[in-house]
């Protein structure tokens, strides 16, 4: 177990170093000069040079990369060219929105799809199964940003119950901030819920026909108890795997939804940093996301082991 | 008898408490913008969004520019220009304090201007101060600028966002926590979402009658989201709404009103004048005559926008409509091309930024050019990064299209280097003369001449001025309809009951 954790940790560090070098190289190959973008089309050459030296852009690439690594080891990820604030502060602010948003969306998606998937599998080809299939297909087929616009029209423009977008920050209070996250998390959760319903249904169906499930029924255990106590835990493997993938997608890939709701999330920060050639921000965001993917995958593996004793057996 | 009396007086007391609250107009505003500023200090970065939040609200200049584009006194209450145009003596206002309590005087003004023109300056308009040789401060209320050569536009330039007066103590932190002398104090910036300002209780201009206590700038990039925010009431005003095609959707909303004015954004298809075939004036004229500006505006910008015949907008002083110099005439265009030796056709590439005005205009141009035998290949070019690199810096392009945002920037055709690669001595002379005189009437005459030279020589295809698409709550008064300088000045904004 400890060996596994150490191996994963080493993998994490190696991946991060490789990713950071790659990003640095790519961002330097990309055409565009952060100083020219900031100073516009009337700036004279000496002004551009002054800004480049202020931002440290006049140094060689390798020097900048090593300096960045040295800083990162001290927890200093540099300062955003565009915002002028430390990158760690900027990303912290974005995470205070993105993580709760992804979390709520994930919980919503699980709350809807797991019961629905189990119920659909329990009565295969029944009414619930039909409805679940319809729901799954529709929610996957409808583009999330389109659903988002629909939600805004219904709940903000017509109803006036929820804000049409924006995020006031947690400092204004829990409820106003949470209110701003309700519609976006629903829009994000819907397609995920569709996928998860299908996965749950399929996994439960597979397990339901195995011998132990039939034995449980034969022993006289009720259908419901068999389903929830015996079948679902055994079907949990694929569900947890998909959940892990979905969480990383929700953190990194919510940019379209963030745009429709004009939420200051991590996805939009990455997009903006790319457009402005804000290399240090780009660097930190990509590293964070790579790290997150690795950590979440690791957690999923751990959870799988917890769920399935067979995976725990150490090979001799 | 006693009890009803008590009830009555209680009711009266309650009504007297609540009544004024109901009658009083609102004192807050939520204003939407499409682009979030990159930092909040207009003296160190170019994006117009910075000035649109801070200029005149947080920061002020020696002079200001009003809604008609006129220069007005601000931190300088008066000035004198020596007859030779080489000495500007400003009498500064007394009892002006920055938001942190620091006093404003000639020493502060000198430090601010020296910072903008010094060797370490990263001011995007450092060129404004090129003519300034030295600055004297004979006393705290007097500031003297000594110039090495006359600079006829200096006073106007001093009104710009990039020329605002900052205090040396707070200059370095203004990017994230701006401290100025204006009627509003910076409160907080939720990056990616909003900037909040509150009223400055110690504002020096007691005659200003500031009606707002609080102003929130919200940044919403997506036009659909902008529309939703307006209709739901989350945002009270969008002074520059993002999508012309959605403007008519607000007509049915009783609560909102629209106001269409002019910006300073000149949509211009620039050509590489150093490169064939654009070296030939007949070709440039033919390309201009091949374009029907009205159809372009109809198709690209929902018929909102003003056609232009030169690099100048109706907001600008001494504007002349020159769209009739080379009106739409495909036949004439064909014969000009033939004369120039391109009777069998001509093909070149246009590098087009991703903004919708640019892509749509380029597509319409492609069709119109095809009718006169010109094949236009469209090459999408990421803006700003790649465009600045390829077109602006390396000048590696045939044709491009972009909206020039800076007000009164007709002098770009005299700049060297500049991406048009345009050389015209007659035009350069006019631009030099504009700076050589400080007499407004004389300058106006020269600006007319400059507009005409460009209209006739077409170093770029002059298309249209982007409209300022204002959408706001009907009860909101005092926002600018036109935008002679990119801004959202809040000092006169108030709610009407």
């Amino acid at each position: 177990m400890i060996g596994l954790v150490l191996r994963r940790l080493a993998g994490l560090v190696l991946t991060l170093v490789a990713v950071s070098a790659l990003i640095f190289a790519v961002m330097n190959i990309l055409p565009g000069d952060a100083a020219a973008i900031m100073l516009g089309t009337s700036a004279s050459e000496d002004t551009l040079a002054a800004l480049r030296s202020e931002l440290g852009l006049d140094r060689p690439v390798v020097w900048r990369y090593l300096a960045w690594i040295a800083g990162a080891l001290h927890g200093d990820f540099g300062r955003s060219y565009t915002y002028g604030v430390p990158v760690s502060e900027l990303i912290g602010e974005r995470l205070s929105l993105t993580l709760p948003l992804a979390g709520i969306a994930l919980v919503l998606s699980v709350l809807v799809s797991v019961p629905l998937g189990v119920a659909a599998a329990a009565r295969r080809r029944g009414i619930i199964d039909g409805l679940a299939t319809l729901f799954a297909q529709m929610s996957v087929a409808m583009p999330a940003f389109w659903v988002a616009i629909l939600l805004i029209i219904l709940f903000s423009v017509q109803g006036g119950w929820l804000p049409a977008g924006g995020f006031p920050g947690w400092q204004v209070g829990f409820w106003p901030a949470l209110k701003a996250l309700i519609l976006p998390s629903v829009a994000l959760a819907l397609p995920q819920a569709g996928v998860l319903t299908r996965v749950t249904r399929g996994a439960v169906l597979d397990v339901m026909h195995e011998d132990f499930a039939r034995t449980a029924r034969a022993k006289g255990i009720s259908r419901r108890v068999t389903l929830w106590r015996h079948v679902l835990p055994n079907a949990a493997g694929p569900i947890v795997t998909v959940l892990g993938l979905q969480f990383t997608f929700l953190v990194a890939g919510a940019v379209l939804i963030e745009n429709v709701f004009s939420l200051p999330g991590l996805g939009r920060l990455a997009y903006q940093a790319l457009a402005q050639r804000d290399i240090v921000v780009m660097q930190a965001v990509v590293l964070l996301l790579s790290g997150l993917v690795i950590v979440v995958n690791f957690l999923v593996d751990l959870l799988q082991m917890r769920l399935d004793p067979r995976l725990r057996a150490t090979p001799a | 008898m006693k009890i009803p009396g008590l009830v009555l007086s209680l009711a009266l007391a309650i009504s007297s408490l609540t009544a004024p609250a109901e009658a009083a107009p609102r004192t807050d505003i939520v204003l939407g913008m499409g682009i979030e500023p990159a930092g909040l200090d207009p003296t160190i970065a170019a994006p117009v969004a910075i000035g649109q939040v801070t200029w005149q609200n947080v920061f002020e200049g020696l002079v200001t520019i009003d809604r008609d584009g006129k220069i007005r006194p601000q931190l300088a209450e008066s000035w004198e220009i020596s007859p030779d145009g080489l000495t500007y003596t400003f009498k500064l206002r007394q009892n002006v304090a920055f938001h942190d309590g620091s006093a404003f005087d000639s020493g502060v003004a000198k430090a601010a201007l020296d910072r903008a023109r010094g060797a370490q300056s990263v001011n995007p308009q450092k060129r404004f101060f090129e003519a300034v040789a030295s600055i004297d401060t004979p006393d705290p209320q007097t500031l003297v600028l000594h110039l090495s050569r006359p600079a006829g536009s200096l006073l106007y330039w001093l009104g710009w966002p990039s020329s605002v007066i900052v205090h040396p103590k707070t200059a370095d932190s203004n990017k994230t926590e701006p401290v100025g002398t204006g009627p509003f104090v910076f409160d907080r910036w939720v990056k990616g979402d909003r900037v909040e300002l509150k009223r400055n209780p110690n504002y020096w201009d007691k005659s200003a009658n500031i009606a707002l206590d609080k102003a929130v700038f919200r940044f919403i990039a997506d036009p659909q989201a902008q529309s939703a925010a307006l209709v739901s009431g989350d945002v009270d005003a969008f002074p520059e709404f993002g999508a012309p095609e959605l403007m008519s959707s607000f007509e049915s909303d009783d609560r909102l009103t629209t106001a269409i004015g002019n910006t300073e954004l000149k949509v211009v298809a620039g050509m590489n004048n150093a490169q064939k075939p654009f070296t030939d004036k007949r070709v440039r004229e033919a390309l201009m005559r091949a374009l029907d500006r009205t159809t372009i505006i109809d198709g690209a910008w929902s018929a909102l926008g003003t056609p232009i015949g030169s690099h100048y907008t109706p907001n600008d002083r001494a504007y002349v409509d020159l769209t009739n110099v080379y009106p739409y005439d495909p036949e004439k265009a064909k014969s000009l091309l033939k004369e120039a030796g391109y009777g069998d056709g001509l093909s070149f590439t246009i590098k087009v930024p991703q903004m919708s005005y640019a892509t749509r205009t380029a597509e319409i141009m492609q069709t119109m050019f095809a009718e006169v035998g010109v094949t236009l290949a469209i090459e999408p070019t990421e803006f700003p990064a790649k465009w600045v690199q390829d077109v602006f810096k390396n000048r590696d392009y045939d044709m491009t299209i972009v909206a020039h945002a800076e007000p009164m920037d007709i002098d770009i055709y005299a700049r060297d280097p500049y991406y048009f690669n345009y050389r015209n001595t007659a035009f350069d002379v006019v631009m030099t003369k504009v700076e050589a005189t400080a007499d407004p009437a004389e300058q106006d005459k020269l600006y007319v001449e400059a507009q005409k030279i460009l209209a006739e020589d077409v170093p770029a295809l002059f298309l249209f001025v982007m409209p300022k698409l204002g959408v706001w709550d009907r009860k909101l008064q005092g926002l600018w309809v036109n935008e002679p300088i990119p801004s959202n000045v809040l000092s006169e904004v108030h709610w009407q009951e």
Side-chain angles (χ1 to χ4, degrees), chain A residues 115-138:
Chain A
L116 195 60
V118 172
R123 293 257 188 274
R124 202 177 168 194
R125 303 218 170 87
I127 295 173
I128 294 183
D129 192 18
L131 287 176
T133 308
L134 186 73
F135 164 76
Q137 288 188 343
M138 276 183 58

Side-chain angles (χ1 to χ4, degrees), chain B residues 47-115:
Chain B
V48 292
I50 302 174
Q52 285 176 321
V53 172
T54 60
W55 184 73
Q56 294 305 308
N57 299 327
V58 177
F59 291 116
E60 296 176 317
L62 290 177
V63 300
T64 185
I65 293 160
D66 70 9
R67 60 174 81 219
D68 300 315
K70 298 240 162 30
I71 303 167
R72 301 270 176 225
Q74 194 156 55
L75 296 179
E77 54 184 29
S78 62
W79 53 86
E80 251 174 55
I81 305 171
S82 64
D84 61 2
L86 293 176
T87 312
Y88 284 62
T89 308
F90 292 94
K91 185 166 180 285
L92 304 185
R93 221 170 275 279
Q94 295 192 24
N95 303 318
V96 174
F98 283 83
H99 299 151
D100 64 350
S102 317
F104 164 76
D105 62 18
S106 59
V108 171
K110 175 178 156 53
L113 297 182
D114 281 342
R115 174 172 168 267

Side-chain angles (χ1 to χ4, degrees), chain A residues 130-143 190-191 193-195 197-198:
Chain A
L131 287 176
T133 308
L134 186 73
F135 164 76
Q137 288 188 343
M138 276 183 58
S139 61
V140 174
M142 291 187 299
L190 212 57
V195 173
T197 306
R198 299 289 293 176

Side-chain angles (χ1 to χ4, degrees), chain A residues 8-89:
Chain A
R8 286 302 182 97
L9 212 60
L12 176 77
V13 171
L14 275 177
T15 314
L16 291 188
V17 171
V19 164
S20 69
L22 190 72
I23 292 293
F24 224 88
V26 169
M27 290 297 280
N28 276 290
I29 293 167
L30 275 184
D33 169 8
I37 292 169
M38 282 181 63
L39 290 182
T41 51
S42 282
S44 49
E45 206 38 61
D46 65 328
T47 328
L48 288 171
L51 183 60
R52 276 190 211 113
S53 111
E54 198 183 298
L55 298 174
L57 289 171
D58 51 346
R59 310 248 188 189
V61 181
V62 176
W63 190 93
R64 274 189 283 144
Y65 179 63
L66 293 177
W68 183 84
I69 292 271
L73 290 176
H74 291 96
D76 174 11
F77 290 88
R79 216 169 248 276
S80 157
Y81 302 158
T82 33
Y83 280 120
V85 294
V87 172
S88 46
E89 186 187 317

Side-chain angles (χ1 to χ4, degrees), chain B residues 28-43:
Chain B
D28 65 310
I29 185 176
V30 181
L31 201 137
M33 283 171 54
I35 298 172
E36 180 178 32
L40 294 173
D41 183 351
T43 68

Side-chain angles (χ1 to χ4, degrees), chain A residues 32 38-42 46-47 81-83 85 94 152 156-157 163-168 171-172 260 264 268 277, chain B residues 36 38-39 44 46-47 121-123 125-126 175-176 188-189 191-193 218 225 228 231 234 382 385 389 392 406 415:
Chain A
M38 282 181 63
L39 290 182
T41 51
S42 282
D46 65 328
T47 328
Y81 302 158
T82 33
Y83 280 120
V85 294
R94 298 302 171 108
I152 293 174
S156 309
V157 174
F167 184 66
Q171 57 268 56
V172 297
V260 175
R268 261 179 66 206
R277 298 294 190 265
Chain B
E36 180 178 32
I44 58 166
S121 164
V122 292
N123 192 299
Q125 305 292 350
K126 187 180 170 184
K175 184 169 185 179
T176 49
R188 66 177 189 138
W189 182 7
K191 286 165 201 76
D193 189 64
R218 288 261 321 263
V231 176
D234 285 5
E382 183 204 357
Q389 185 86 6
F392 193 78
E406 283 180 3
R415 285 188 209 167

